[in-house]
Amino acid sequence: MDFQFDFNKNYILETEMVRLEPLQSSHIPDLLTYSLNQPEIWKFSSIAAIGETNFRNYIQIALDQRERNIEYAFAVFDKRINEYAGSTRFYDIQLNNKTLQIGYTWYGEQFHGTGLNKHCKYLLLEFAFEKMNLDRVEFRADNNNERSKAAMKSIGCKVDGVLRSNMLKLDGSRRDSIILSILRDEWFNEVKTNLKARL
């Protein structure tokens, strides 16, 4: 029987290094420290998340979007050190078009450069292409976010282009958004093998 993605189901994805579990309000105590103590990781966020009130609202927006069958957010747990590291999500989920976007990804500074992100992206891409049977996975970022752009290219994303001045930033200025993607045949022909080798 074909797999049917269900927003009401709790999908848990994991490797020996990381576990992705559906984001819940109960994760707030474990993740709040990143809002209160690491403002730099929110520099390119499109939703205010610094400070407890903003952070609770940030999480609630994600939960509401899941209720609306638009997004599916995960809390990221680092199994090596038994700590919650951040969050990531599927969004702009278009099952009829067999596409979605991966984004709203952030990790505490101590997890940058540890390989955690590659494990997370491998799990998300594997689920999207091999369980959900999608044809395209898209990624977007502020075109000035060099860390994010480098991370996406390193997992095998190809640049589609740049949307000029396509959205407002929190400071009221406008951002250019770079669009990257991985297609189904690219995942099976090269991206999966290359990414798995780097885990």
Side-chain angles (χ1 to χ4, degrees):
M1 190 169 70
D2 287 343
F3 176 85
Q4 296 291 323
F5 183 76
D6 185 346
F7 284 89
N8 295 313
K9 283 191 176 178
N10 289 325
Y11 298 106
I12 295 176
L13 317 179
E14 58 188 326
T15 65
E16 71 281 357
M17 178 179 182
V18 65
R19 182 173 71 245
L20 303 182
E21 55 195 48
L23 184 67
Q24 308 287 347
S25 56
S26 59
H27 288 114
I28 291 175
D30 294 302
L31 297 172
L32 182 59
T33 181
Y34 303 119
S35 166
L36 300 179
N37 301 309
Q38 297 186 10
E40 187 61 25
I41 67 175
W42 305 100
K43 179 178 179 181
F44 294 101
S45 178
S46 60
I47 303 173
I50 297 175
E52 183 169 355
T53 299
N54 282 339
F55 189 71
R56 287 183 178 277
N57 182 60
Y58 179 94
I59 299 297
Q60 190 58 51
I61 289 171
L63 300 179
D64 291 345
Q65 295 291 69
R66 179 178 171 187
E67 283 285 320
R68 295 172 59 203
N69 293 353
I70 296 172
E71 300 182 0
Y72 195 101
F74 295 91
V76 178
F77 185 76
D78 189 322
K79 293 163 71 172
R80 298 167 308 167
I81 60 174
N82 292 315
E83 284 185 17
Y84 283 94
S87 181
T88 189
R89 74 183 76 164
F90 293 137
Y91 73 106
D92 189 23
I93 299 170
Q94 300 181 39
L95 297 178
N96 58 321
N97 285 321
K98 304 185 81 170
T99 69
L100 57 70
Q101 295 190 51
I102 293 175
Y104 295 94
T105 302
W106 56 270
Y107 309 109
E109 293 171 349
Q110 64 269 41
F111 299 96
H112 293 182
T114 64
L116 183 83
N117 183 56
K118 284 185 172 57
H119 278 256
C120 290
K121 292 301 189 293
Y122 181 88
L123 287 168
L124 293 169
L125 289 164
E126 181 181 53
F127 190 84
F129 287 119
E130 300 182 28
K131 290 290 189 184
M132 298 175 73
N133 198 33
L134 301 184
D135 289 333
R136 170 186 166 89
V137 173
E138 184 175 304
F139 300 77
R140 297 189 180 197
D142 188 314
N143 199 35
N144 291 320
N145 189 344
E146 296 300 333
R147 172 186 287 277
S148 183
K149 286 160 58 174
M152 291 186 288
K153 291 176 183 176
S154 76
I155 65 170
C157 294
K158 290 185 167 60
V159 176
D160 291 334
V162 175
L163 296 178
R164 298 177 300 153
S165 188
N166 81 302
M167 63 183 292
L168 275 172
K169 298 197 285 189
L170 289 176
D171 65 7
S173 63
R174 299 196 65 84
R175 91 171 198 184
D176 295 343
S177 296
I178 188 168
I179 312 299
L180 307 95
S181 63
I182 298 172
L183 305 182
R184 182 175 181 81
D185 63 338
E186 294 168 347
W187 170 252
F188 285 106
N189 291 341
E190 56 188 282
V191 174
K192 179 180 181 178
T193 301
N194 293 341
L195 184 53
K196 192 169 187 176
R198 300 176 66 190
L199 298 182

